[in-house]
Structure formats: C-alpha cells, structure tokens
Amino acid sequence: MHTHSLRSDGTLAPADLVARAHAAGIDVLALTDHDVTDGIAEARTAAVQLGIELIAGVEISVTWRNQTLHILGLKVDIANPVLQQGLARLREFRQWRAVEIGRRLQKKRIEGAYEGAARFARGAIISRTHFARFLVEQGYVRGMQQAFKQFLLRGKPGHVPGQWASLDEAVSWIHAAGGQAAVAHPARYPLSAGKLRQLLGDFRDCGGDALEVISGSHSLEANRHFAGIAVEHGFSASAGSDYHGPEKTWMDLGRLPALPDACVPVWHGWK
Ligand code: AMP
Ligand code: MN
Ligand code: MN
Ligand code: MN
C-alpha cells in the first residue's frame, strides 16, 4: 500500500513498478507518489493487463507543529478537484523550495545543484532525493544517507524550512476524494511519546483513519509497537514497503510481514 514511481522520487516507470510487483506475487498494489497522482493512469493500464489490482494513492507532505509528516491517501478518486488543487499547491511550494535548495547549496560552493536535481527528476516533481542523487554523482558525498545527513536534513545547509499542508487539509483532501488517510511510517518521526500521543489525537480529531503499522522502513519491533498503538487508539492498519526502486532501499516488493491479527486492515471493506 505504499510505493513510488519516477513520477516522484522512485526510479521505475509506473508500468515497470506494476510489472515488478506482479512478478513478486503481489495482487493488490497502491502507487503513492509524493504530492502527485500523475503515474496512476499508466500504472492502472499495466495492472489491468497483468490482472492485478491497482489502488490509486498519494503520499501527502504535511507540516504538523513544525514537524514534516507524510499522510497516505489510499483508494482516492484522482479526478477530485479538491484533492488536485491541494496537491497543486504543494507542488508549487516544492518547486520554489527546489530552487531555494539550489541557491543555498551554491553558497556552499556546490554549483548546478538545482539543474542536477532537475536532471534526475526527469520532468517530475523535484524531491530532496534528487538532490541527494546529484550530490552522490558529483562525489560530494559517498552515499544517499550521507547526502541527507550532511546537506539536506533540518539544520543542514540545503535544508529549506516551509509549510506543507496542514494535517487537517491533508485528511480533508483525501476524504473529499473518497479515500482513507493513514499516517505513513509512524516510527520514522523523531517524536517523543507525548508528542506522538498529541499527533494521534489531532489525527483522530481531523477524522484520520489508519496508521501504517507495517512499513519496509520500520524495524520488526516498531511494526509490533505500532500495531498495538493502532488497536489501542482505534485506527485501522496499513502495510507498505515504501519501495522507491530496485537500488538498495528499505525493502523489495512483496516481502512485508503480515498484519497482526488484532489489527483491522485499512482495506477491510474495500470491494
Ligand atoms: P522531500 O519530500 O523532497 O522533502 O524528500 C523526502 C524524501 O527523501 C523521502 O520520501 C525519502 O524518499 C527521502 N529521504 C528522506 N530522508 C532520507 C534519508 N535519511 N536517507 C535516504 N532517503 C531519505
Ligand atoms: Mn520518497
Ligand atoms: Mn514518506
Ligand atoms: Mn513514501
């Protein structure tokens, strides 16, 4: 229920992602690109040809109390104008931010970062992932992790603060489009137990539906922990690899552990 294509910061074309999912034995797959649904049509066509079910999704960038969060919209109607106007606003901020990241890196004597990131993005939205690939390519850093740590995370030279969607906006856009809202990879945010409780309370108050209990980027321990939290707080549970391509990422497609029996799957009740 959580994958990326080259329409955001993944490396596979939507049709190739679907083919790889099919080969991995997946029969229901959500494409959830960052702040964009451009890949859904191509993915859907490929899914129909291969006989697998494609769930239209999106991973929305949110700013909540100064913290960036990702909210998954699952089974959304991508034709919905409320959702699309919201996403368009985020992409405008993203484009401005990309230029600004380039400017800031230039001050650190890194030339052509914006153009380099745009080249990796190949006409799609520009993500920090594309800046990281450029920094690796040019030899400024040895790997993606170092690119983020040294240049792109909060407090580093290429980090640009700013406002994504509010939590309330993200959930309301998803609901306007008939979808379900899930907090993506909850273990990845640097939140204290108290802050996490506040987040879950705010998410519930906005009408949020689910937590991504099982994530390819979680430890098994974190999966277990958030399964308990979802049950305790009455959220349904989602599962996704957060696959970005065949290069080493969190996890390959089709390798996720099952949801614990106590969880109500977010897809419960889907036709
Ligand atoms: P953006 O939405 O442009 O701010 O970029 C966020 C994306 O960067 C995430 O979706 C991840 O794919 C990637 N990312 C974030 N932190 C890291 C990290 N420490 N190492 C590798 N990739 C990361
Ligand atoms: Mn990403
Ligand atoms: Mn994410
Ligand atoms: Mn993701």
Side-chain angles (χ1 to χ4, degrees), residues 4 9 34 59 61 70 94 97 126-129 144-145 148 153 164 188 244 250:
H4 298 275
D9 62 349
H34 297 284
E59 183 173 16
S61 307
H70 288 167
R94 187 178 271 288
R97 183 191 69 155
I126 304 179
S127 159
R128 283 183 296 166
T129 304
M144 297 292 284
Q145 290 298 330
F148 275 90
L153 294 180
W164 295 102
R188 292 230 311 265
H244 281 71
W250 320 114

Side-chain angles (χ1 to χ4, degrees), residues 100-146:
E100 186 60 26
I101 292 174
R103 235 196 294 278
R104 291 182 188 212
L105 290 177
Q106 190 167 35
K107 285 190 191 147
K108 294 287 162 189
R109 306 220 174 116
I110 296 173
E111 298 296 328
Y114 171 78
E115 291 75 11
R119 174 162 49 78
F120 277 104
R122 290 184 275 181
I125 61 133
I126 304 179
S127 159
R128 283 183 296 166
T129 304
H130 301 121
F131 281 94
R133 289 187 189 134
F134 165 81
L135 291 166
V136 173
E137 177 203 56
Q138 296 295 309
Y140 289 106
V141 289
R142 266 181 314 239
M144 297 292 284
Q145 290 298 330
Q146 200 193 344

Side-chain angles (χ1 to χ4, degrees), residues 165-187:
S166 70
L167 189 60
D168 194 55
E169 285 173 325
V171 174
S172 70
W173 301 342
I174 291 163
H175 285 171
Q180 283 174 280
V183 177
H185 45 65

